[in-house]
Amino acid sequence: MSKKKNFLIILISPSGGGKTAILKKILAENSEIKYSVSYTTRKSRINENDGVDYNFISEKKFLEMKNSGDFLESAKVHGFWYGTSKSYINKVLNKNHIIMDIDVQGAKQINNSDVDYVTIFILPPSRKVWLKRLNGRGTDSDEVIQVRMKTAEKEIQEIKDFQYLVINDDLEKAVNDIKIIIKAEENKIERYINIQNYYGG
Ligand code: 5GP
């Protein structure tokens, strides 16, 4: 049995912050960390699989779950609902850490819950690089990019509510910073289970 408690690793970043690439690399390199598959009312994109990337559900079903208190957090982002299932999180936490990628509103709700978590805000190195990344995707119109920048500027105002900041200048370095944060958090005294029983004599 593990002598340490598992926890939620919450990655928060504005569009263009690079959290998707970071998340993929962390999951590929750490089999003991599982991905939190959220529920959403948006339609699946090409290459996305139901139950793997998201649980894609109707707004009716989402609101039923929300009203039944099934979500640890939920938020409307860019016109669609997103939420994290409480029972799923508790089940996975019995065996593994869980990493999740959620928006600022959702992360603030978890701040006020009794779940054990670590929050990590990810930012690009500068506004110039950030704009370049947003434009470089080639998937969004200028209008969409402007809306995302506005949302991001508001999100950055809330940064003080979170615990860690990682500047994503270089993918390898950002991933390494996050691994170090996770290691340090694992070794906090409060995360050891009944440590006195092992060494107390
Ligand atoms: P996308 O639809 O592009 O995958 O995600 C859009 C936004 O929704 C991203 O900012 C992402 O972090 C956020 N998001 C994804 N899943 C959840 C969730 O379960 N809860 C909350 N609050 N936000 C989420």
Side-chain angles (χ1 to χ4, degrees):
M1 197 192 105
S2 167
K3 292 180 202 166
K4 293 180 190 172
K5 286 185 209 150
N6 295 312
F7 49 89
L8 271 184
I9 303 152
I10 306 174
L11 301 187
I12 311 136
S13 108
S15 286
K19 73 187 157 197
T20 312
I22 290 177
L23 207 127
K24 280 194 180 145
K25 204 160 160 55
I26 289 181
L27 286 168
E29 293 173 5
N30 299 273
S31 58
E32 75 284 7
I33 302 178
K34 302 293 175 203
Y35 179 59
S36 167
V37 184
S38 302
Y39 285 75
T40 184
T41 60
R42 84 151 161 75
K43 295 276 170 286
S44 64
R45 299 181 182 129
I46 299 171
N47 296 336
E48 281 183 333
N49 292 309
D50 191 24
V52 178
D53 299 287
Y54 281 103
N55 294 296
F56 296 98
I57 57 171
S58 66
E59 180 150 335
K60 181 169 177 278
K61 172 86 181 143
F62 191 99
L63 295 176
E64 270 168 28
M65 287 178 72
K66 185 168 155 59
N67 292 336
S68 308
D70 292 353
F71 292 125
L72 175 62
E73 62 75 33
S74 62
K76 213 167 197 180
V77 187
H78 303 136
F80 296 102
W81 282 104
Y82 293 83
T84 306
S85 153
K86 242 185 235 172
S87 59
Y88 173 79
I89 292 292
N90 287 328
K91 191 171 136 221
V92 181
L93 279 177
N94 281 329
K95 286 196 176 157
N96 296 94
H97 291 318
I98 307 183
I99 195 159
M100 59 202 299
D101 142 21
I102 61 175
D103 85 314
V104 166
Q105 309 167 67
K108 284 174 87 168
Q109 291 170 41
I110 296 184
N111 266 349
N112 297 323
S113 77
D114 55 6
V115 179
D116 190 11
Y117 64 84
V118 178
T119 42
I120 307 173
F121 209 100
I122 300 164
L123 278 180
S126 67
R127 196 181 170 87
K128 204 172 146 199
V129 172
W130 188 15
L131 270 171
K132 208 170 149 199
R133 284 189 193 160
L134 280 173
N135 285 312
R137 281 176 173 177
T139 50
D140 302 311
S141 64
D142 284 355
E143 208 184 339
V144 168
I145 291 174
Q146 285 308 318
V147 171
R148 295 200 168 190
M149 285 298 282
K150 283 254 153 5
T151 308
E153 279 159 11
K154 274 194 217 138
E155 287 177 346
I156 291 171
Q157 301 303 315
E158 320 244 10
I159 208 162
K160 62 182 186 324
D161 292 329
F162 303 107
Q163 298 167 320
Y164 292 94
L165 174 63
V166 168
I167 304 294
N168 183 14
D169 194 359
D170 171 81
L171 179 62
E172 293 285 335
K173 201 181 152 294
V175 166
N176 201 40
D177 280 5
I178 292 174
K179 284 186 186 169
I180 293 168
I181 292 169
I182 295 171
K183 200 30 76 203
E185 287 286 330
E186 280 175 346
N187 283 22
K188 277 189 167 167
I189 300 286
E190 71 211 33
R191 295 225 166 84
Y192 283 83
I193 301 165
N194 293 331
I195 199 68
Q196 304 88 326
N197 295 353
Y198 293 100
Y199 301 102

